[in-house]
Amino acid sequence: MSTPSIVFKDATGDNSKTIAGTGTINIGGGLINSSAFGTGDAGNNGRDVNMNVVLAGSGGLTIAGHGNATANGGGGGGSEFRLGAANTFSGGLTITSGLVSWTNEANFGDISNVITLNGGGLLYTAAAGATAHNIKVGASGGT
């Protein structure tokens, strides 16, 4: 049985990609990889990936994002992976590269999910907020 995955490979242009709809993607135990998608440019031209569909399933989710997650990279800059739905997946969330932005607690799936930053980072994009999810920093660090 193969691991479910979604891969974004376009690393050219100034356009964002969006997956949206009223359905659900069962990605439990799988990977979403936008690491080859690029980092945008200084003019904030869009290189965002918008995941605006419910992600469901068990076994956790790993995101290998794109963008600059370094302390001086500043985030955003038109290059982030955006979780935009009230997700229901369980088993944890691991971010291995890039920036994953969020605006709502439900973006992280089940409230028991531990968020592991292992080379990637989180970017909160609403006015103010906090998460009740536990956050763990792995061996590759996090932002």
Side-chain angles (χ1 to χ4, degrees):
M1 186 168 141
S2 63
T3 301
S5 64
I6 299 171
V7 179
F8 296 86
K9 292 187 175 182
D10 175 18
T12 62
D14 290 332
N15 44 0
S16 296
K17 306 294 183 213
T18 299
I19 295 179
T22 58
T24 298
I25 296 176
N26 189 340
I27 192 79
L31 167 71
I32 299 175
N33 186 342
S34 68
S35 62
F37 197 60
T39 59
D41 63 25
N44 285 340
N45 290 320
R47 300 291 302 150
D48 298 317
V49 172
N50 303 294
M51 188 61 63
N52 297 332
V53 65
V54 174
L55 300 174
S58 60
L61 172 62
T62 298
I63 298 176
H66 63 295
N68 188 344
T70 64
N72 61 359
S79 57
E80 60 202 53
F81 184 97
R82 296 178 176 155
L83 291 171
N87 297 309
T88 60
F89 67 89
S90 62
L93 171 63
T94 300
I95 303 168
T96 60
S97 61
L99 288 170
V100 175
S101 71
W102 62 287
T103 58
N104 186 300
E105 184 76 33
N107 296 151
F108 298 131
D110 191 87
I111 194 65
S112 67
N113 285 341
V114 173
I115 301 166
T116 303
L117 304 178
N118 198 16
L122 290 173
L123 179 64
Y124 185 73
T125 56
T131 180
H133 285 84
N134 289 323
I135 298 176
K136 178 173 89 172
V137 179
S140 295
T143 304

